[in-house]
Amino acid sequence: MTKNKILILDDEPSICSSLSLSLEGEYRVISHTDPLEGIALLDKEAVDLVLLDLVIGEHDGLDILRKIKQIDPNICVIMMTAYGDIRSSVSAMKNGAFTYLPKPLDIEELMLHIRQGLEFRALNERVTFLRDELNSKNYAEPIIGNSPAMQQVLQMVDRLKDTDTSVTITGESGTGKELIAKALHFSGSRAEQRFVAVNCAAIPEGLLEEEFFGHKRGAFTGAVSDKRGKLEMADKGTIFLDEIGDMPLSLQGKLLRALQEKAYAPIGGHDLRTFDARLIVATNRDLKDMVQKGLFRQDLYYRINVFEIELPPLRERRQDIPLLCEHFIRKNNEQQKKHMRIKGITKEAERALMLHDYPGNVRELANALEYASIVTNDEWIHAANLPDRTRRCAAEAEKSEEEYTLRGKTLEELEKAAVFAAYEKHSGKRKAMAEELGISERGLWNKLKKFELI
């Protein structure tokens, strides 16, 4: 069995040697104290995982991390540092690090994270083909997201796409339930057949039965010709019932019978028509709770809920937001007839978008970026271009975050945090640190010694 290859980048030779000795029994290990040599190696050889020091000589480990991800986005990178704090941890994760470990390293903990990281990389590779296959299909939006939550969803899509199992897709409004339903259809064995969607919340109750079953000529006033129903149209393909929790009880029993018998009669007709369609439903409501309250038939619930896919809200997969921003900006550039194309978003705008809570989920993010791309006067989207609600909620979240960080801290702890943040930002360069902190270099030297940074 081929061993996974690990690259260690740390400016301390002793750490490179000790880590190599600990890992070389299970992995192929290469180490460099010069990160540029490590970058050059990655251009020539395939590496599965990188152990990267946050401060490596005169180099900023976050800059090295970004260069690694440019070479191969799927490389798993574990950051290591003796100068860790929450801010650097967030920066590392935001730039694609798998995890973040403080020195001195616990070898057993490191081995566990390495195994998890390699499994994560293998999962990425397994879903890449599926994502490419899905995105090449002819439906509205590609699936965007590298977060573990979305990869788990893609795994389930891959497992279910060639089955006829009924699937219930749950999640808040705007999370992309119809997108996943289309993915199940267009990547599976019924892809060449029709995908027929019915929004149970958008059609008046009096017309919904006709929408499903169709009618015969003369069935009622105005029925001047036969009309095909959605079940007939979906034969051999997939029928997708969106917002099934809004379906009236009076129709639920008729739908259940049609699904069980694979047959139905159009309104005003007596001849049974058979159909063979895969059933996928979606809802943002708690169907089990509705069953207990008598608002949804228990027998229909168990008929449709053979397998459930739960979509996470955007606030629980924030690391996907930069990818989604790139996608929606590219889409807006293609659709809007502006004299200039939007290149991207500023750091301030990105931070505001990362802090927002998104009650409307991905749909809300798409709308915010469409709005901003219209109102901006240059090639970049600025924080000021975002909708008022987005900026207001982000400001409130940032204030809460700052208050939480400062709450209960002593003056010495706050001073230490400021010194560590400056040390990280300027890679230990004292002149720049002293200027940012507003103290003399001698005063800085005393604080570095006090906090054991020299």
Side-chain angles (χ1 to χ4, degrees):
M1 181 177 177
T2 303
K3 293 182 178 180
N4 291 111
K5 187 183 295 184
I6 293 178
L7 172 63
I8 302 170
L9 297 178
D10 195 299
D11 59 342
E12 297 184 42
S14 59
I15 290 181
C16 289
S17 299
S18 61
L19 286 177
S20 297
L21 287 172
S22 300
L23 301 175
E24 63 185 8
E26 192 169 342
Y27 305 102
R28 290 182 294 160
V29 182
I30 304 169
S31 65
H32 284 288
T33 55
D34 183 348
L36 299 183
E37 293 181 8
I39 295 295
L41 173 72
L42 292 174
D43 277 326
K44 301 175 184 176
E45 298 181 29
V47 170
D48 300 298
L49 183 141
V50 178
L51 298 176
L52 174 63
D53 196 11
L54 183 63
V55 180
I56 180 166
E58 294 296 318
H59 299 278
D60 183 347
L62 293 178
D63 289 336
I64 301 302
L65 171 62
R66 284 187 280 268
K67 291 178 181 177
I68 290 172
K69 288 295 182 177
Q70 286 174 0
I71 295 171
D72 183 355
N74 287 326
I75 290 181
C76 180
V77 180
I78 295 177
M79 302 296 291
M80 313 175 292
T81 183
Y83 314 113
D85 64 3
I86 294 175
R87 190 177 291 106
S88 59
S89 168
V90 170
S91 297
M93 300 296 282
K94 183 177 175 182
N95 283 280
F98 174 72
T99 192
Y100 182 92
L101 299 177
K103 293 179 181 177
L105 297 173
D106 181 308
I107 295 301
E108 290 187 2
E109 181 183 9
L110 174 63
M111 294 291 280
L112 174 62
H113 284 291
I114 287 175
R115 285 193 288 271
Q116 290 175 341
L118 291 172
E119 290 172 0
F120 186 79
R121 174 181 168 86
L123 177 60
N124 265 335
E125 292 174 345
R126 285 198 296 272
V127 301
T128 294
F129 173 79
L130 173 62
R131 184 183 294 112
D132 291 342
E133 182 181 2
L134 297 179
N135 293 348
S136 67
K137 297 297 180 181
N138 228 353
Y139 47 81
E141 296 285 348
I143 295 176
I144 305 294
N146 288 325
S147 62
M150 286 307 295
Q151 290 193 3
Q152 185 177 7
V153 169
L154 282 171
Q155 272 190 301
M156 288 189 280
V157 170
D158 189 32
R159 185 175 300 173
L160 293 168
K161 60 187 176 67
D162 292 319
T163 73
D164 287 332
T165 301
S166 297
V167 177
T168 297
I169 305 171
T170 61
E172 296 177 7
S173 179
T175 50
K177 296 185 287 293
E178 184 168 353
L179 174 61
I180 298 302
K182 289 181 177 180
L184 285 164
H185 174 78
F186 286 106
S187 64
S189 56
R190 294 178 182 255
E192 302 303 319
Q193 307 299 325
R194 289 184 177 180
F195 176 88
V196 179
V198 181
N199 189 328
C200 300
I203 302 173
E205 181 175 344
L207 300 179
L208 197 54
E209 182 177 357
E210 179 191 356
E211 191 75 11
F212 276 111
F213 305 120
H215 65 249
K216 296 289 288 183
R217 178 183 177 183
F220 49 83
T221 302
V224 296
S225 61
D226 291 353
K227 177 184 176 181
R228 298 171 65 200
K230 298 295 188 183
L231 292 180
E232 182 179 349
M233 294 171 63
D235 187 34
K236 308 302 180 186
T238 297
I239 186 161
F240 172 57
L241 307 184
D242 197 11
E243 303 302 347
I244 193 172
D246 292 290
M247 179 179 289
L249 275 168
S250 58
L251 182 58
Q252 290 178 23
K254 297 177 181 178
L255 175 64
L256 173 64
R257 182 173 181 178
L259 293 174
Q260 288 176 334
E261 298 181 2
K262 295 288 185 180
Y264 67 95
I267 297 174
H270 301 289
D271 56 315
L272 285 179
R273 300 181 181 181
T274 60
F275 72 102
D276 170 26
R278 184 187 189 171
L279 176 68
I280 302 175
V281 305
T283 182
N284 60 8
R285 304 177 69 176
D286 186 341
L287 294 183
K288 186 177 291 187
D289 181 62
M290 292 181 68
V291 168
Q292 293 176 348
K293 293 178 179 178
L295 301 175
F296 199 87
R297 291 182 63 118
Q298 185 178 53
D299 45 7
L300 179 59
Y301 172 76
Y302 287 115
R303 174 63 183 79
I304 65 177
N305 197 33
V306 179
F307 200 99
E308 182 175 327
I309 297 178
E310 182 178 2
L311 294 187
L314 186 55
R315 62 183 173 274
E316 292 180 7
R317 58 180 188 107
R318 293 182 187 271
Q319 68 193 83
D320 290 334
I321 291 176
L323 284 175
L324 288 164
C325 287
E326 291 178 9
H327 166 71
F328 289 126
I329 288 172
R330 185 166 56 248
K331 178 183 175 183
N332 290 335
N333 282 336
E334 293 171 355
Q335 293 180 347
Q336 295 174 8
K337 297 179 180 179
K338 290 188 67 173
H339 67 282
M340 68 177 72
R341 295 177 66 84
I342 305 299
K343 290 183 178 179
I345 60 177
T346 64
K347 290 293 183 182
E348 293 77 12
E350 182 177 331
R351 176 163 176 77
L353 291 171
M354 291 290 286
L355 286 170
H356 187 42
D357 56 358
Y358 295 103
N361 292 292
V362 178
R363 187 184 297 129
E364 182 181 357
L365 174 62
N367 292 343
L369 289 167
E370 182 177 359
Y371 172 91
S373 67
I374 292 173
V375 302
T376 186
N377 291 321
D378 59 34
E379 297 176 328
W380 294 89
I381 290 174
H382 303 268
N385 303 136
L386 297 172
D388 290 343
R389 171 180 166 75
T390 305
R391 289 187 284 111
R392 185 172 61 252
C393 291
E396 292 172 358
E398 186 166 23
K399 182 179 178 181
S400 299
E401 185 180 88
E402 290 174 355
E403 290 176 351
Y404 178 81
T405 302
L406 297 176
R407 193 180 303 145
K409 297 289 181 64
T410 65
L411 184 61
E412 182 174 345
E413 287 173 330
L414 293 173
E415 182 183 52
K416 181 178 180 180
V419 173
F420 272 57
Y423 191 100
E424 176 193 329
K425 180 178 179 180
H426 299 291
S427 301
K429 297 175 182 177
R430 295 180 190 175
K431 184 176 181 180
M433 290 176 64
E435 289 178 357
E436 177 166 320
L437 294 170
I439 59 178
S440 66
E441 289 191 50
R442 181 175 180 82
L444 174 63
W445 187 89
N446 290 331
K447 295 187 185 298
L448 292 175
K449 186 175 181 181
K450 175 183 178 181
F451 298 128
E452 300 180 349
L453 288 175
I454 56 174

